[in-house]
Amino acid sequence: MIKFGFNSITSILGEIGSYSSEVEGNAMKQVTFLSLMIVLGAVGALQSPFWGVLLYYSLSVLRPQHLWNWALDGSMRWSLMAALITLVSFCLHLSRIVSRGAFNGMITLIMMYALLVMLSTITAFNPQIAQGWAIEYAKVLVIAVVASFLTQTIELLSEHFWQVKVLALMILLMLGYIAWEINFLYFFQGGRLNIYHYGYGGLDNNGAGLLLAMGIPFAYCFALSPAKGMWRWWPVAAAFLGLVLMHAVMMTYSRGAMLAAAVGI
């Protein structure tokens, strides 16, 4: 099993290497960044599946295929590779995860919901159409089960609370970067409101606004967190990201997103 998992991750990294060597021009920075994320995530996943989960959710929030659609040709499925790395790592560490008793009520509820989705797909009037939605649900639920296993039970939460903090920081940084790009288009490229006219990541302006509003509570939390030593600048940076996120939400012209942002504060 260990040899199979190592070979699987190695083959994924080899595919990324060959793809990166063919990239030229404006796409080089984006492909280099994504390749570095995949490599670091794969190396970390050999040690712990948590790093695979972090990698997958980072790409899920960032949605590089939409953010950099002008640079990426779509031939490389980054999120799929992150999911494969996560699942392989989970299988490699399955015995240790199960032995620690990480099965909880949340996982049971997710599995019950997955069963209902499967039954709904089978009994649908048009199973072929329903199958497409079932696949989308599967992408979310499988990783959700893996992540629920890794965040552990209440008894082990204090030991692994750093995982929750790292996930929260990742969400803030990814959403903060998206908001920065949105503000950059508005302030430095002639007042462009792409977020209002086109939405983001397959979402309309309302969905994109709610996505961005989700980052504001994380910014608020980190801005008020105590910091010492070399990290004493971090609350100021988090507060700045919060302002960037709030302005990006305003540019969506979504009343629901603005209300969500206000509640988040």
Side-chain angles (χ1 to χ4, degrees):
M1 175 66 75
I2 295 177
K3 183 178 180 181
F4 171 75
F6 182 79
N7 291 338
S8 300
I9 293 179
T10 302
S11 64
I12 292 174
L13 297 181
E15 183 178 350
I16 293 175
S18 61
Y19 176 77
S20 300
S21 63
E22 298 174 358
V23 174
E24 298 178 354
N26 294 332
M28 180 59 71
K29 291 186 294 183
Q30 288 74 20
V31 171
T32 301
F33 174 73
L34 292 173
S35 299
L36 185 61
M37 285 184 64
I38 294 291
V39 170
L40 293 177
V43 173
L46 292 175
Q47 178 66 27
S48 171
F50 168 75
W51 300 109
V53 171
L54 182 69
L55 171 65
Y56 180 81
Y57 279 130
S58 297
L59 295 176
S60 297
V61 176
L62 187 62
R63 305 190 184 194
Q65 69 274 20
H66 296 279
L67 181 64
W68 299 316
N69 60 352
W70 51 270
L72 304 177
D73 59 9
S75 61
M76 182 63 67
R77 302 182 63 182
W78 302 98
S79 294
L80 176 61
M81 288 188 293
L84 292 175
I85 289 172
T86 303
L87 294 177
V88 169
S89 177
F90 183 78
C91 293
L92 290 176
H93 297 86
L94 184 60
S95 59
R96 179 172 60 86
I97 294 172
V98 173
S99 64
R100 302 192 69 174
F103 199 93
N104 53 46
M106 180 61 68
I107 298 174
T108 302
L109 291 175
I110 295 175
M111 289 184 171
M112 291 176 62
Y113 181 71
L115 180 61
L116 289 176
V117 171
M118 184 180 67
L119 292 175
S120 299
T121 303
I122 296 174
T123 58
F125 288 109
N126 194 326
Q128 290 184 341
I129 295 178
Q131 184 179 5
W133 289 101
I135 293 174
E136 294 301 317
Y137 273 106
K139 294 178 183 177
V140 175
L141 296 177
V142 170
I143 299 297
V145 170
V146 173
S148 298
F149 267 111
L150 296 178
T151 51
Q152 308 296 325
T153 57
I154 296 299
E155 293 78 7
L156 297 174
L157 184 59
S158 59
E159 178 185 348
H160 294 270
F161 186 66
W162 68 269
Q163 296 178 349
V164 179
K165 294 177 67 174
V166 171
L167 284 169
L169 178 61
M170 175 274 297
I171 293 173
L172 174 59
L173 292 177
M174 295 297 106
L175 291 178
Y177 179 76
I178 295 171
W180 173 266
E181 289 282 349
I182 294 168
N183 280 275
F184 182 86
L185 291 176
Y186 179 75
F187 286 110
F188 300 105
Q189 295 194 11
R192 290 172 59 183
L193 286 173
N194 289 20
I195 190 69
Y196 170 66
H197 295 291
Y198 308 112
Y200 181 77
L203 306 170
D204 63 2
N205 64 310
N206 295 296
L210 291 172
L211 176 68
L212 294 169
M214 183 178 66
I216 295 177
F218 292 104
Y220 181 82
C221 175
F222 282 105
L224 296 182
S225 298
K228 299 179 181 179
M230 61 178 296
W231 298 104
R232 61 181 179 274
W233 55 270
W234 174 241
V236 178
F240 173 74
L241 286 178
L243 293 175
V244 173
L245 283 163
M246 284 190 285
H247 190 256
V249 170
M250 292 176 62
M251 286 190 289
T252 65
Y253 287 91
S254 171
R255 291 168 293 181
M258 293 180 190
L259 179 60
V263 173
I265 298 175

